[in-house]
């Protein structure tokens, strides 16, 4: 029996390996048919017909037989090679996907008549190439060892508007970079090196490096999900690292961002009924953000930010400044929710070193239910005339509630408060230590006791211990006369 | 298990034979057939002319206006040509043993089944792989 199976499999393998294809190729674009689907090739007035598709008769057009495995239906291969690119489309897409190749600049236009999802696989390298795609149906893009630089526009610009899955082929390294606006930048869409007008789902166990030389690294005009299967995504950008509309959800993967503007910026849609509008949800994976611009935020959302897992590390070094347009001071913050911040699990390590920079600056309530939160603000007070903004630790325009987890916050010695609110600051559980340049008192409504100390000498990178609670502050932080608040169960 | 094996065999069979074309046949409006081996075949269109290249020909031209259709075949048109005369054909195995006389290709295929045969007629002798 085993011998039979061996031979059967060997014959099957051999048969599959000897598949045959027939392509119609013109100007770097080929439609590839399995030979058995070609049927009769007939000629009409200026056209010819095969495999249920019609093609225009053109000088230079070639029909090529190949002893290889043809693409499956609804598959497209884009291969870059220096200043050239070659697009091969499954024969069933003839008349449904129009492909154009100009040097290594590829345009793919999906007909509204496309009924089944198409998978585009991109590979090869070009230092003067791009991909532009438009359509009306969801699509998948597989980056399978792609190095693509576009000197005068986005590297990849997808104007589909539907769910776009970007899959990083396992074991591959992919690199995208863009350039200043030029003659190829025919739309207003070039605000990112990788631009998706649609819902982006990032997955696949490969790696992707994005360099946004003009503005953002990656823009998803609607939601973006980093799937649990995602590999490593590295972004360097002059604007935001990730510029997301609707919502951002990270379930896995490793995202590393270094940006001049915000690390991850989630904007809300105008329609208030939009699902999860303006939210950021992190439930898994690693997220590392470093921002260098003035008033830049590490994680910014127009609505709530929820952390239920993952390992997050944020560092913002920019200073506050006076915004002449808004007539107000704007400052950096490692985390900036438009409404609430809630943490139930995961770890957050956040440091703001700029003048007036804050650790967490929320409009709505801040609630810690679990996980570990470590934050430090290290800058001085920012002053503009008679106005100023202080380098607070955790700041809210509503309540700050600690129900559980570990919360360690060191606010600047220059008038920084570890937990700053004009409303309720309640400690109901968890292990808590706050250090700062100003004292803070837990609300009387707190159900867990807390103690306060003064004049603690906190050395850079040193460990502070009170009542069995220890907090090792970042190297950027020091305070020779810190106010301390500490709390833990059983205190 | 038997069902699985049967399914596997059928699948193997289907895949094996579906992908085993060897020739492109160009059928002209005159009724003439031209056969091109698929190995290395490239057809280039230039104005109203098709230029065929493969491992056997490097610059064979056909006027598009003269072509009725083109199609792929497991067998060369030359085999079919064996039946174009008014006589019958004889089939032999590769050891030279005569297997029968046939008046049509259809009859030959039905009676011989699968195998490799030598087909002889007044038009000549051809080796045929029958699937």
């Amino acid at each position: 029996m085993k011998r039979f199976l061996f031979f059967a499999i060997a014959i099957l393998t051999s048969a599959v390996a000897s598949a045959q294809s027939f392509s119609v190729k013109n100007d770097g674009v080929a439609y590839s048919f399995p030979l058995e689907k070609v049927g009769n090739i007939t000629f009409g007035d200026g056209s010819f017909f095969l495999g249920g598709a019609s093609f225009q008769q053109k000088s230079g057009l070639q029909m090529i037989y190949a002893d290889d495995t043809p693409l499956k239906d609804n598959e497209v291969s884009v291969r870059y090679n220096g200043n050239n690119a070659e697009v091969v489309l499954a024969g069933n897409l003839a008349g449904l996907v129009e492909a154009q190749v100009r040097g290594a600049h590829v345009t793919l236009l999906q007909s509204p008549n496309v009924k089944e999802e198409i998978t585009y696989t991109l590979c090869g390298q070009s230092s003067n190439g791009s991909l532009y795609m438009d359509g009306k149906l969801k699509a998948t893009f597989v980056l399978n060892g792609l190095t693509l630089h576009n000197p005068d526009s986005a590297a990849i610009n997808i104007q589909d508007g539907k769910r776009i899955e970007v899959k990083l082929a396992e074991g591959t390294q992919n690199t995208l970079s863009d350039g200043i606006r030029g003659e190829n930048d025919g739309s207003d869409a070039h605000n990112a090196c990788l631009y998706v007008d649609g819902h982006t789902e990032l997955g696949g166990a490969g790696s992707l490096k994005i360099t946004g030389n003009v503005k953002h690294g990656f823009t998803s005009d609607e939601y973006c999900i980093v799937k649990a299967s995602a590999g490593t995504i590295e972004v360097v950008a002059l604007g935001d690292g990730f510029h997301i509309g609707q919502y951002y959800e990270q379930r896995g993967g490793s995202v590393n961002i270094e940006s001049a503007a915000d690390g991850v910026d989630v904007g809300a849609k105008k329609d208030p009924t939009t699902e999860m509008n303006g939210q950021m949800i992190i439930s898994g994976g690693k997220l590392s953000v470093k921002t260098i611009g003035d008033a830049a935020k590490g994680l910014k959302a127009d609505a709530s930010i929820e952390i239920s897992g993952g390992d997050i590390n944020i560092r913002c070094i920019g200073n506050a400044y006076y915004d002449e347009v808004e007539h107000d001071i704007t400052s950096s913050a490692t985390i900036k929710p438009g409404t609430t911040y809630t943490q139930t699990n995961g770890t957050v390590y956040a440091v703001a070193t700029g003048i007036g920079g804050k650790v967490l600056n929320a409009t709505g309530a801040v609630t810690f239910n679990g996980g570990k939160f470590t934050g430090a603000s290290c800058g001085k007070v920012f002053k503009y005339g008679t106005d100023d903004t202080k380098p607070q630790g955790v700041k809210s325009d509503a309540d700050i509630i600690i129900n559980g987890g570990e919360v360690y916050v060191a606010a600047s010695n220059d008038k920084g408060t570890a937990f700053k609110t004009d409303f309720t600051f309640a400690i109901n559980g968890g292990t808590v230590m706050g250090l700062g340049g100003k004292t803070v008192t837990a609300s009387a409504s707190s159900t867990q006791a807390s103690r306060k100390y003064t004049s603690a000498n906190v050395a850079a990178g040193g460990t502070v211990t009170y009542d069995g609670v220890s907090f090792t502050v970042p190297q950027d932080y020091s305070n020779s006369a810190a106010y301390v608040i500490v709390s833990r169960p059983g205190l | 298990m038997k069902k699985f094996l049967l399914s596997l065999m059928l699948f193997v069979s289907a895949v094996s034979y579906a992908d085993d074309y060897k020739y492109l046949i160009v059928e002209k409006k005159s009724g003439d057939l031209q056969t091109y081996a698929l190995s290395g075949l490239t057809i280039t269109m230039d104005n109203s002319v098709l230029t065929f290249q493969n491992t056997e020909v490097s610059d064979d031209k056909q006027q598009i206006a003269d072509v009725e259709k083109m199609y792929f075949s497991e067998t060369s048109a030359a085999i079919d040509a064996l039946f174009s005369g008014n006589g019958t054909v004889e089939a032999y195995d590769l050891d030279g043993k005569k297997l029968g006389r046939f008046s049509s290709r259809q009859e030959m295929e039905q009676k011989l089944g699968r195998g490799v045969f030598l087909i002889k007629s007044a038009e000549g002798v051809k080796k045929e792989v029958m699937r």
Side-chain angles (χ1 to χ4, degrees):
Chain A
M1 177 58 71
K2 282 181 181 173
R3 188 177 293 176
F4 172 80
L5 284 173
F6 172 79
F7 281 116
I9 291 168
I11 291 169
L12 178 61
T13 306
S14 163
V16 171
S18 66
Q20 299 169 291
S21 70
F22 192 68
S23 301
V24 177
K25 183 177 180 182
N26 188 47
D27 291 336
V29 177
Y31 291 88
S32 175
F33 296 82
L35 211 60
E36 67 269 20
K37 289 188 177 178
V38 171
N40 288 334
I41 304 168
T42 57
F43 296 86
D45 187 19
S47 301
F48 65 102
F49 310 90
L50 63 89
S54 69
F55 296 91
Q56 199 175 6
Q57 292 182 26
K58 289 180 74 175
S59 285
L61 180 146
Q62 290 186 312
M63 289 178 269
I64 302 168
Y65 166 80
D67 204 10
D68 61 11
T69 304
L71 292 175
K72 294 175 185 169
D73 280 358
N74 305 313
E75 287 187 346
V76 177
S77 163
V78 181
R79 180 181 294 274
Y80 294 90
N81 184 12
N83 289 323
N84 298 297
E86 184 176 88
V87 180
V88 181
L89 305 97
N92 77 304
L93 298 176
L96 293 174
V97 177
E98 180 188 348
Q100 296 172 351
V101 176
R102 188 185 59 208
H105 295 277
V106 175
T107 299
L108 300 163
L109 303 175
Q110 272 189 202
S111 160
N113 296 324
V114 171
K115 301 297 182 199
E116 294 181 284
E117 181 174 0
I118 297 172
T119 297
Y120 300 90
T121 300
L122 282 56
C123 66
Q125 63 78 31
S126 175
S127 58
N128 186 10
S130 64
L131 183 100
Y132 177 93
M133 178 268 188
D134 200 354
K136 303 291 183 191
L137 189 74
K138 65 182 179 180
T140 293
F141 289 80
V142 178
L143 306 189
N144 186 27
L146 174 69
T147 298
L148 192 59
H149 173 70
N150 187 358
D152 60 2
S153 189
I156 295 179
N157 183 348
I158 299 168
Q159 292 285 323
D160 185 272
K162 298 294 188 293
R163 192 275 285 141
I164 300 297
E165 181 168 358
V166 178
K167 192 179 291 185
L168 310 176
E170 185 170 0
T172 64
Q173 294 183 328
N174 304 279
T175 304
L176 303 175
S177 55
D178 63 357
I180 58 171
R181 292 167 192 265
E183 62 180 18
N184 291 322
D185 201 1
S187 73
D188 61 357
H190 182 209
N191 73 354
C193 174
L194 170 58
Y195 184 92
V196 176
D197 178 9
H199 323 278
T200 312
E201 297 185 4
L202 295 164
S207 71
L208 171 63
K209 180 175 182 179
I210 300 170
T211 303
N213 291 308
V214 176
K215 198 173 180 185
H216 308 315
F218 163 55
T219 289
S220 182
D221 198 45
E222 300 184 55
Y223 72 69
C224 171
I225 296 174
V226 181
K227 299 166 88 169
S229 64
T232 300
I233 301 165
E234 188 178 335
V235 182
V236 177
L238 286 182
D240 299 339
F242 277 18
H243 186 80
I244 310 296
Q246 192 177 358
Y247 68 87
Y248 174 76
E249 181 176 357
Q250 185 172 344
R251 301 170 181 168
S254 180
V255 178
N256 305 296
I257 294 172
E258 184 170 336
S259 57
D262 304 332
V264 180
D265 179 7
V266 183
K269 293 292 182 186
K270 289 178 181 174
D271 180 358
T273 64
T274 303
E275 180 189 18
M276 299 167 70
N277 202 14
Q279 297 181 20
M280 183 182 298
I281 305 104
I282 298 171
S283 59
K286 293 183 176 180
L287 175 57
S288 177
V289 174
K290 179 181 179 183
T291 68
I292 60 175
D294 286 347
K297 282 76 177 172
L299 306 182
K300 176 176 178 284
D302 279 1
S304 62
I305 294 178
E306 295 177 28
I307 312 294
S308 61
D311 185 1
I312 302 165
N313 191 310
I314 312 165
R315 183 177 184 82
C316 297
I317 65 173
N319 300 325
Y321 70 90
Y322 185 80
D323 188 327
E324 299 287 353
V325 177
E326 299 292 333
H327 301 292
D328 198 3
I329 295 171
T330 178
S331 58
S332 65
T334 62
I335 302 173
K336 174 75 171 131
T339 59
T340 60
Y341 175 87
T342 306
Q343 185 173 350
T344 56
N345 208 338
T347 62
V348 176
Y349 191 90
V351 178
T353 63
I355 298 170
K358 298 162 183 62
V359 176
L360 197 166
N361 187 7
T363 304
V366 174
T367 306
F368 297 98
N369 292 323
K372 183 176 182 180
F373 184 96
T374 305
S377 61
C378 312
K380 300 294 183 186
V381 174
F382 177 82
K383 294 178 179 173
Y384 184 84
T386 56
D387 277 348
D388 68 28
T389 189
K390 296 182 179 64
Q392 312 288 17
V394 174
K395 174 182 177 291
S396 171
D397 296 339
D399 297 341
I400 299 174
I401 310 293
I402 302 174
N403 295 316
E406 298 175 69
V407 183
Y408 306 103
V409 178
S412 166
N413 58 10
D414 189 12
K415 300 178 183 173
T417 304
F419 302 98
K420 173 62 180 175
T421 176
D422 294 333
F423 299 89
T424 298
F425 168 48
I427 302 175
N428 302 320
T431 301
V432 182
M433 182 178 286
L435 310 172
K438 294 178 73 173
T439 188
V440 59
T441 302
S443 299
S445 61
S446 300
T447 59
Q448 179 170 287
S450 58
R451 291 180 183 160
K452 295 169 59 175
Y453 300 90
T454 59
S455 303
N457 187 3
V458 183
T463 299
V464 184
T465 302
Y466 286 96
D467 297 314
V469 178
S470 294
F471 175 16
T472 301
V473 300
Q475 286 289 341
D476 309 87
Y477 184 85
S478 63
N479 192 335
S480 60
Y483 292 90
V484 181
I485 183 168
V486 63
S487 179
R488 62 169 170 78
L491 188 65
Chain B
M1 179 56 86
K2 281 182 181 174
K3 276 186 181 174
F4 168 75
L5 291 175
L6 183 61
S7 301
L8 183 63
M9 289 167 68
L10 288 171
F11 180 61
V12 168
S13 168
V15 173
S16 299
Y17 299 124
D19 287 339
D20 207 11
Y21 295 103
K22 288 185 170 57
Y23 304 99
L24 175 76
I25 312 292
V26 178
E27 183 178 325
K28 297 184 180 177
K29 289 176 178 169
S30 64
D32 291 345
L33 300 177
Q34 178 74 45
T35 300
Y36 295 97
L38 287 182
S39 180
L41 179 66
T42 298
I43 307 165
T44 303
M45 195 173 278
D46 187 12
N47 294 322
S48 56
V49 175
L50 298 174
T51 302
F52 294 76
Q53 292 176 299
N54 62 12
T55 53
E56 296 170 356
V57 297
S58 60
D59 190 23
D60 199 15
K61 297 186 185 306
Q62 305 279 353
Q63 292 288 330
I64 292 175
D66 295 340
V67 176
E68 178 68 28
K69 64 181 177 182
M70 304 193 297
Y71 56 91
F72 296 100
S73 174
E74 299 170 8
T75 58
S76 165
I79 294 293
D80 296 320
L82 293 176
F83 290 92
S84 64
N86 55 6
T88 57
V89 298
E90 295 175 348
Y92 298 83
D93 66 16
L94 295 181
D95 294 327
K97 181 183 172 186
K98 186 175 178 181
L99 300 172
R101 289 168 63 87
F102 310 100
S103 58
S104 71
R105 183 178 183 117
Q106 186 181 17
E107 181 194 4
M108 182 180 76
E109 289 177 350
Q110 283 176 348
K111 294 200 173 161
L112 289 182
R114 293 174 181 169
V116 182
F117 307 99
L118 296 171
I119 312 299
K120 180 182 176 187
S121 79
E123 307 293 326
V125 178
K126 292 288 179 185
K127 189 174 167 184
E128 170 97 14
V129 180
M130 294 180 62
R131 304 291 186 185

